[in-house]
Amino acid sequence: MTTAPTRPPGTAEHTVSAVPSRLGALLRLRELPVTVALIALVTITTVVNPLFLSPQGVKDLLLNATIVIILAAGQALVIITRNVDLSVGSVLGLVAFGTGTLFVTVPGIPIVVVFLVGMLLGALLGAINGLLVTVAKVPALVITLGTLYIYRGLNNAWAGGTQYFAGDRPDAFGALSVDTVLGFPLITLIAIVVVVIVAVYLAGTRAGRDLYAIGSDPDAAKLFGIPVSRRVFLAFLTNGVLAGLAGVLYASRFNSVGATTGSGLELAVVAAAVVGGVAIFGGSGSVVGAAMGALLLTTITSALTALRVDKFWQEAIVGVLILSAIIIDRIASVRTARKLRISEARNV
Amino acid sequence: MQTESLHAGDGPPRPRLALSGAVKAFGPVVALADGNIDILPGEIHALVGENGAGKSTLVKILAGLYRLDAGEFHVGGQSVSFRSVADSKAAGISVIYQEPTLFPDLTVAENIFIGRQPKGRLGLISRAAMRQAARDLFDQLGVRIDPNRVAEGLSIADQQIIEIAKAISQGATVLVMDEPTAALSGVEVERLFQVARNLRAQSAGILFISHRFDEVFALCDRITVMRDGRYIATHVTSTVTVDAIVHEMVGRDVGALFPKVVAPVGDTVLSVKGLGRAGVFADVTFDVRAGEVVALAGLVGAGRTEVARAVFGIDPYDRGTVEFAGTRLRPHSPKAAIDAGMGFVPEDRRKQGLVMNLSVGRNTALTLRDRVARFGIINGRAERAAAVEWSRRLQVKTTSQEYAVSTLSGGNQQKVVLAKWLATDPKFLIVDEPTRGIDVGTKSEVHRLISDLANRGIAILMISSELPEVLGMADRVIVMHEGRITAELSRAEATPESIMHAATASLERAQ
Amino acid sequence: AVALLAGCASDTGTNTGTDSGAGGGTDGDLSITFIPKQLNNPYTDVVLGGGESGSEEAGFAATEVVGPLEASASSQVSFINAETQAGTSVIVIAANDPDAVGPALEEARAGGAKIVAFDSDTNPKYRDVFISQVVAKDVALIQVEVIAEQIGGSGEIAILSATANATNQNEWIKFMEEELASNPAYKDITLVAKVYGDDDDTKSFQEAQGLMQAYPNLKGIISPTTVGIAATGRYLSTSEYKGKVALTGLGLPNEMRPFVKDGTVTAFALWDPAQLGYVAAFAGKALADGTITGAEGDTFDAGELGEREVGADGIVIVGPPTVFDAANIDEYDF
Amino acid sequence: MSEPGSSTTRSSPVTPADKISSLDTRLIDTTKTLPTEPKGRTGAARILLGRDAIMIYLLLAFVLYASIAIPRFASPVTVGFLLLDVIPVLLIAMPMTLVIITGEIDLSVASIAGLTSALMGVLWESGLDIGVVLAISLFAGVVAGAFNGFLIAVAGLPSLAVTIGTLALYRGLALVVIGDNAVANFPPGLTAFFTSKIGATGIPTVMIGVVVVALFFGVLLHLTPFGRGLYAIGFSKEAATFVGIRVSRAKFWLYVGTGSVSALAGIYWTLRYSSARSDNASGLELTVIAAVLLGGVSIFGGTGSIPGVIAGVLLIGTINFSLRLERISDVVLIMVTGSLLIASVVAPSVFEALQRWRHGRRMHKTLPQVPASGATSATAPGVQERK
Ligand SMILES: Nc1ncnc2c1ncn2[C@@H]1O[C@H](COP(=O)(O)OP(=O)(O)OP(=O)(O)O)[C@@H](O)[C@H]1O
Ligand SMILES: Nc1ncnc2c1ncn2[C@@H]1O[C@H](COP(=O)(O)OP(=O)(O)OP(=O)(O)O)[C@@H](O)[C@H]1O
Ligand SMILES: [Mg+2]
Ligand SMILES: [Mg+2]
């Protein structure tokens, strides 16, 4: 063998183009498209209908998004590990009905206790998902499709025709979704705190980074010694807690809770995460993106109404929006890949 | 210096790690029947054996990935029973697996430090510190890879380098490397050796697995031989010869490794003219004739695989033509290539060569889908018969055709790949690193096979990073460097010097 | 009527198979099955409560309640099929879609079953009689009247309905539109929008909210569906529009009580849902006995509600709507 | 090809020429001998013990149980009602099986059925001939499927995300097309045909068409080169490409398949219920996927079969109808469906774990001797062999 030249051929140019400009880094953010779309949407709608950004309008927008934001944050956590949780709508329903029941059966129960019980119930349901996925090692899509049905069935069996109404709950509880601080409704502030905590966990802790590694290549993660089962279980558990929190907040915000509360929410939540740039096969994306996705999807409904767009068009437009989000993300990643190829290409 | 550290002091040094009587079975398959190894501080210990001898299984036991069915395992004199990879890591064992374990979505730096990221303010991960640490590591290894880049799309060689960086950065007292050099070229191998010797000087124990004897003898202090899942013997390197080791591995004598018979050369089968793909390769022109073995040589990353992929239609190309048996081949269509009579044994067996979860039989018959069908309906019996027949001809070692091909050892997997292409009766076969990760016995079989195929009029394009293989097998050698052909050498002209010159030198033609 | 109203409301079991051979029936093996639009719906539960006590009084040997969990057009068909196969004598159905249940009902009739539609009609050719809450026009007019009064006779109003294809709601809306257009007293009122909350709490809530944004000058909302009016009430009571935008429609007193008390809603209307089920059971009995055929002018005894007459198109009217307001709402419990 | 029936291992039907077959003699004597090829499970045993077979036994057992335990169950009327109910799921499950085997998914199927239904309503009301209406509606399904196929196969977007998007888009288009109208006045002869039965068997006449569809996809998957390719794609796209399987093209056509069959299901739905509405078949996608997964198809791709899926669909349908006959609430049905789904994936892995555990115990029981023999060579492996 010939003696080594100072550096291997072919790796010479790598570092030169590698110092990224701040702008470049900003443009590569996966959250960018959804943010731009959101700003554009709000701007256009406000120009046409100034009432859209009235204090009440803003409050409504935030309130509408709050519950989906919390669900999307939890879902992002799960999707990043290359799993998915379709049972969130059912979990939310069960917890929301449980909240209603608590207030009625235990008069004068402190609101904090209700929150804790709701999140605990969510944690339990999430833990069941997590256990089935990690211990039995079966695909999450199947398991959570199963628990979607089972939890919904439990909700139906428990609630029957009973519904609890806003009037059954203390005013202070309902006030959480009415009162504002600096224009932000209280429950929205809760959602923001949740997103910040989860975001910091994902970006800044070793365990959080492990989730990305697991989603990126689960087999490699196992070989590498990352406690895959424990991390994935925790992701499901956390998602359950957040779905539980969302369930309690649902009961605060909306009028009635009963057997069908929250049904059909699962695909909307997954869609929010996807629109926000969370890769459906795990490994990349962020909760901030997912939260933006949730905000965008809920805002579009309000915007279309405010623009007096025929309501029959709304669902179709939501569909187009989801598709555009995926396509934009794809174009962006193809461009990055191409750039990478060009920057590392041989001079031929 | 190695001998010093081995024999210095009074009495034998205590092994860093010792495994004895290890047994590991997967259902009916006993992968490891009697595994023994001890690794001393400050030694590089080679583990050799045929494909399927149980080397990787032993490695995975050391890594804590598999639990022993029976046997004893001591680390630092203490009996241990690892329950997880984390236990093994905590005990100071760091492993580079045979298959790279990078996370494609994470950056290079994060891949190295995952689970041990340096922390900054508030106990959160400091990306800057992590990047800097990665740069320092790469400087130490003498390579330049952008730590900010995602791992997705890295070449196999770069991936392997990152694996090595990852392992050494863990500061382990025992470093286990399962065929780390299989994807590396001479330069990189040499650098890896340097790193290994440095670690040895710091009295780490290293277990090194390779099928290349030149490497084993150049690097290692002791050699342990395994056969059929059993421990055979351990030798101090200076006291044995290659032939003796090979004899122990195979259980018999192995004759000439490269039984090249020069076959009569026929008409041009493949004619590539001015082929180019922006940023990848340019101006590639060559012919391959019936009965001829043409080797495509060069360093890893020279673009040989890319050319082969374009010729076979996996990738598109921007310029030039590929003519097959006189007619122009439709670009970017493997099906067209196969229909015309081409076959392609790719370099990455696990990802490209085989559908790992599919059974041995189905894999073998996968290329015959259309041929075993009549009026569009597959004749299941013919399909099975063909699979059995070709497995038999290539002596694929498997208990059942129904087993997933992933349960076979590397060499047997490679035989399945070859079987599936030979079954199509190709006129032209591309073999990309056909003996990568394959033991001596099988290797010589594969060489014999290639040579025989050529004798029977099949044109062969062989890509290989092993010079002895190129020199032994090829009728003609085409050397590539940085995406261009830098030399075309006849069998007589091809020498290690002329090839290496063309492979490393720049554009002026070496002759 | 009030006695029944209060009495039945507490009895809201859904899946209870009441086996009461007693009562005044002629032959003891007649069976009746109620198929509501959807199970687990509070309004439905009140209706079914009336139905069950009616069927017991009328002398049915077996009473069943079956139905889908979600109110889609086709979801009732397989329930009808199962009843056909079970040989049920009377099927009482609130159709989610007037036509989708048609072929299945015809098969049931061919098997000898009598079909009573209630609450929401099927295509008339598929049933024997339809038990209607009230005269459709009366319901429509009451709601227009209430809203007109609350907004002072002029301004923009909107309608928030259930699903876009709900038969009964659409009929009421049609009458409302006609009345607004023809009655000079309403000439200053403009109907600016019709939106649909699909009888889903969340959706209705957001539709209400959307209306506020899209129509800043909106003075009032009519929501002729119990889910819609409650959700709208909740939105208004938690927003700055409380007390500024009037709301009326059809609602359950128990659901609407807080909104009436806090001033979001002044008045709303509804008939007695329990009576609906009650009369339907007696109509079914009369059909099964052969006392009536569903022809115009047929009369039958409806227990404590006295004698009822089948009107044009086989429609039986149960009773007038009641208007609930702060003064009387506490007298009702359903 | 030469005679496929010849059973001697020597002359494979695909042995192209003797030029390679003479290699084997040389190879055999150069290296160690091959262990004799054990047969594994024979064909019959494999079929009788496979995952699909279990599903079929389960179905048969349940039908038997229902016939005995549920009055009125065992009758042609049951067959008719039951089949009429499962037909849409059964139809869509066929191409869905193929899609999931390639490792993809299609969530937009129910929306395509809804869009088809809406289109039918509008076109029929506009006075077109019913034949033309059917043709256009079917074509719409083909286009909708092709659009999915384009985005997934050609543009390479993830199918789960894409079809969540088109789930909303197609349902939205259905609303745009027909709005809140419902069209009901289809030709009575035609709607009657869709609920008619074959003689006294109770089997709906349209089942003939369904059987044709099932046969088509069954043969396509199990007996054709295309089908072989699908399994390979499901496990590894890249490896499939290397053997000349046209991955994108195959996927594209599969989505055209789900699109067109969903359109058929939409047409069936419209005419069976004689009601064209925008919300027809909504929510059906999860039912179909649940049935397919219950039928033994792996969500990761690569495994599954049409007979298994048919058994899965029929099992859920039968349980459903039995519960209806017993007047047990749908609450129970959804819980049973959920539990079955989970059991169907958890059971095999529990079984496997059990086997591993038993194996482990056996190893530990039988092995004490092995280390003893190993110990001789292992006492000091480093020293002992130094010659
Ligand atoms: N000079 C270079 N600069 C940057 N990247 C390079 C260079 N040379 C090669 N690469 C990259 O390295 C990878 C490996 O290259 P390629 O597969 O062509 O190597 P090869 O000659 O086939 O070697 P082998 O088959 O031995 O791995 C490719 O992805 C290519 O883009
Ligand atoms: N997970 C498994 N299940 C079943 N059999 C296995 C498994 N892993 C390994 N084996 C079998 O165990 C034997 C030893 O395999 P191993 O990978 O240890 O060989 P090796 O010596 O590393 O070979 P190579 O040089 O080809 O890498 C082989 O026969 C292989 O087929
Ligand atoms: Mg190995
Ligand atoms: Mg290569």
Side-chain angles (χ1 to χ4, degrees), chain D residues 211-291:
Chain D
V211 169
V212 170
V213 170
L215 274 178
F216 174 78
F217 284 101
V219 168
L220 188 65
L221 177 62
H222 295 294
L223 299 177
T224 66
F226 179 80
R228 285 286 188 277
L230 298 185
Y231 285 100
I233 294 174
F235 281 132
S236 167
K237 252 176 70 165
E238 206 177 351
T241 312
F242 272 83
V243 288
I245 294 166
R246 288 178 285 193
V247 177
S248 304
R249 190 177 302 207
K251 284 190 178 170
F252 177 81
W253 285 111
L254 287 187
Y255 279 95
V256 171
T258 49
S260 13
V261 175
S262 301
L264 286 180
I267 291 171
Y268 166 80
W269 196 287
T270 312
L271 293 175
R272 182 201 169 189
Y273 297 116
S274 62
S275 177
R277 303 166 43 134
S278 59
D279 66 347
N280 272 351
S282 66
L284 200 68
E285 62 278 346
L286 292 188
T287 317
V288 170
I289 290 167

Side-chain angles (χ1 to χ4, degrees), chain C residues 81-159:
Chain C
N81 287 343
E83 291 310 315
T84 308
Q85 198 168 354
T88 306
S89 338
V90 178
I91 297 175
V92 184
I93 183 166
N96 282 326
D97 179 290
D99 294 289
V101 290
L105 287 180
E106 284 193 325
E107 258 178 299
R109 275 173 130 180
K114 298 294 176 195
I115 312 297
V116 179
F118 74 148
D119 192 28
S120 177
D121 201 1
T122 69
N123 192 319
K125 66 184 176 203
Y126 300 127
R127 45 84 174 156
D128 295 299
V129 293
F130 170 53
I131 314 298
S132 180
Q133 300 76 7
V134 274
V135 182
K137 192 157 182 178
D138 290 356
V139 176
L141 295 193
I142 275 197
Q143 295 176 56
V144 176
E145 209 180 293
V146 170
I147 201 82
E149 193 185 308
Q150 293 181 9
I151 64 172
S154 72
E156 295 182 353
I157 62 165
I159 294 175

Side-chain angles (χ1 to χ4, degrees), chain A residues 8-14 341 343-347, chain B residues 153-158 182-185 279-280 297-307 309 347 432-433 436 463-465 480 482-483:
Chain A
T11 47
E13 250 73 52
H14 287 191
R341 215 179 64 209
S343 72
E344 295 180 4
R346 305 178 182 89
N347 189 18
Chain B
L154 282 171
S155 67
I156 294 189
D158 282 351
L184 302 188
S185 67
V280 184
L299 301 177
V300 168
R304 299 163 298 168
T305 300
E306 270 80 354
V307 168
R309 285 169 64 101
E347 60 181 337
D432 194 353
E433 309 285 2
R436 172 179 292 175
I463 299 173
S464 173
S465 299
M480 283 187 71
E482 304 239 321

Side-chain angles (χ1 to χ4, degrees), chain A residues 97-124:
Chain A
F97 185 75
T99 306
T101 312
L102 263 185
F103 279 120
V104 169
T105 50
V106 191
I109 184 170
I111 290 173
V112 182
V113 175
V114 173
F115 268 92
L116 288 178
V117 172
M119 284 156 74
L120 214 63
L121 178 58
L124 176 74

